[in-house]
Amino acid sequence: MKSKHSHPFLYFGLILLLMVTSPLVAEEHEGEELENANTLRMELKQYLSTGGEGQELATFIKNKMPKEVHIFINGMIQRDPFHAEELVVQFSEIYEHYAFLQKEAPDEAGLFLQVQQHEALSLVLAESFDSESPSAGEISKKIQAELEKAFDLKLQMQTMELQQLEEDVEELSQLLERRRTAREAIIKRRLDELTGVDGHLEW
């Protein structure tokens, strides 16, 4: 039986082959990532500019969000389209919910939009935050101010929701009381329907 050490040149050859091919594989992988990034960048730009839901979203971000948010997303599409895609999905959900509230609860829609504006701006500020930067303290204060505004607006929304729930409960309570008062009449009417007692009165 031959020892595994009887072919030292074979092992050196394999090591040399790995050393040569590893950078090539890494370079090929980087090329694929770059190509994917470029493709996604083009798709995002096309989605946000060629009508339909994408253009509606772009208009929403431009007109309803702080200008810093609009600038940030456009810049992120260039720098990191994968992160930009996540942001587009996130803002799509915000836009859809806002559109829903505009139809179903207009008073709440305005508060919801303000909350999202402050939270979006805090997100943009956080992306530029660097604890080593001389302006770190100032940016941190700005982020905190935006979060405080968003929190207070959320409390207002929750207060409105609670008031609506209380009104609904009051209406249900009144309905139950009316049904309780009219118990005998309601049962009698249903009994007559089931037994056909009043059938001879029909036309």
Side-chain angles (χ1 to χ4, degrees), residues 88-100:
V88 167
V89 171
Q90 181 180 343
F91 277 95
S92 293
E93 293 172 355
I94 292 170
Y95 172 61
E96 288 174 8
H97 191 63
Y98 175 64
F100 169 79

Side-chain angles (χ1 to χ4, degrees), residues 134-177:
S135 60
E138 181 183 350
I139 294 176
S140 179
K141 287 179 181 177
K142 288 181 179 179
I143 295 172
Q144 180 175 344
E146 294 301 322
L147 293 175
E148 288 174 351
K149 291 173 184 175
F151 183 83
D152 291 340
L153 287 165
K154 281 184 177 180
L155 284 181
Q156 281 185 247
M157 285 180 63
Q158 290 166 345
T159 300
M160 288 177 63
E161 291 171 359
L162 178 59
Q163 289 173 346
Q164 184 60 54
L165 284 173
E166 289 173 344
E167 291 175 8
D168 292 343
V169 168
E170 179 61 27
E171 288 180 8
L172 284 172
S173 296
Q174 292 176 5
L175 175 61
L176 285 173
E177 186 58 36

Side-chain angles (χ1 to χ4, degrees), residues 60-73:
F60 170 75
I61 293 171
K62 183 177 180 180
N63 295 338
K64 298 294 185 181
M65 289 288 133
K67 65 179 181 180
E68 294 89 345
V69 175
H70 180 242
I71 293 170
F72 174 75
I73 292 176

Side-chain angles (χ1 to χ4, degrees), residues 8-178:
F9 292 109
L10 176 62
Y11 294 103
F12 286 124
L14 288 172
I15 292 171
L16 182 62
L17 180 62
L18 288 172
M19 290 175 63
V20 171
T21 56
S22 292
L24 293 176
V25 171
E27 186 176 323
E28 182 180 341
H29 182 66
E30 288 176 5
E32 288 178 2
E33 282 193 356
L34 182 60
E35 184 178 347
N36 290 339
N38 287 333
T39 300
L40 181 57
R41 185 178 294 113
M42 291 175 59
E43 289 174 352
L44 286 172
K45 288 181 177 180
Q46 185 176 6
Y47 174 70
L48 295 170
S49 62
T50 54
E53 294 178 359
Q55 192 165 12
E56 287 179 10
L57 175 61
T59 301
F60 170 75
I61 293 171
K62 183 177 180 180
N63 295 338
K64 298 294 185 181
M65 289 288 133
K67 65 179 181 180
E68 294 89 345
V69 175
H70 180 242
I71 293 170
F72 174 75
I73 292 176
N74 284 339
M76 190 58 67
I77 290 174
Q78 289 300 125
R79 294 190 303 274
D80 185 353
F82 300 104
H83 184 39
E85 184 182 29
E86 294 174 2
L87 291 172
V88 167
V89 171
Q90 181 180 343
F91 277 95
S92 293
E93 293 172 355
I94 292 170
Y95 172 61
E96 288 174 8
H97 191 63
Y98 175 64
F100 169 79
L101 288 176
Q102 280 186 308
K103 295 178 181 177
E104 301 298 327
D107 294 338
E108 191 177 336
L111 285 174
F112 173 79
L113 179 61
Q114 290 180 62
V115 168
Q116 299 307 318
Q117 289 169 339
H118 291 299
E119 289 195 339
L121 188 52
S122 69
L123 174 67
V124 171
L125 290 169
E127 288 282 348
S128 65
F129 180 77
D130 179 3
S131 59
E132 303 298 324
S133 170
S135 60
E138 181 183 350
I139 294 176
S140 179
K141 287 179 181 177
K142 288 181 179 179
I143 295 172
Q144 180 175 344
E146 294 301 322
L147 293 175
E148 288 174 351
K149 291 173 184 175
F151 183 83
D152 291 340
L153 287 165
K154 281 184 177 180
L155 284 181
Q156 281 185 247
M157 285 180 63
Q158 290 166 345
T159 300
M160 288 177 63
E161 291 171 359
L162 178 59
Q163 289 173 346
Q164 184 60 54
L165 284 173
E166 289 173 344
E167 291 175 8
D168 292 343
V169 168
E170 179 61 27
E171 288 180 8
L172 284 172
S173 296
Q174 292 176 5
L175 175 61
L176 285 173
E177 186 58 36
R178 289 196 299 270

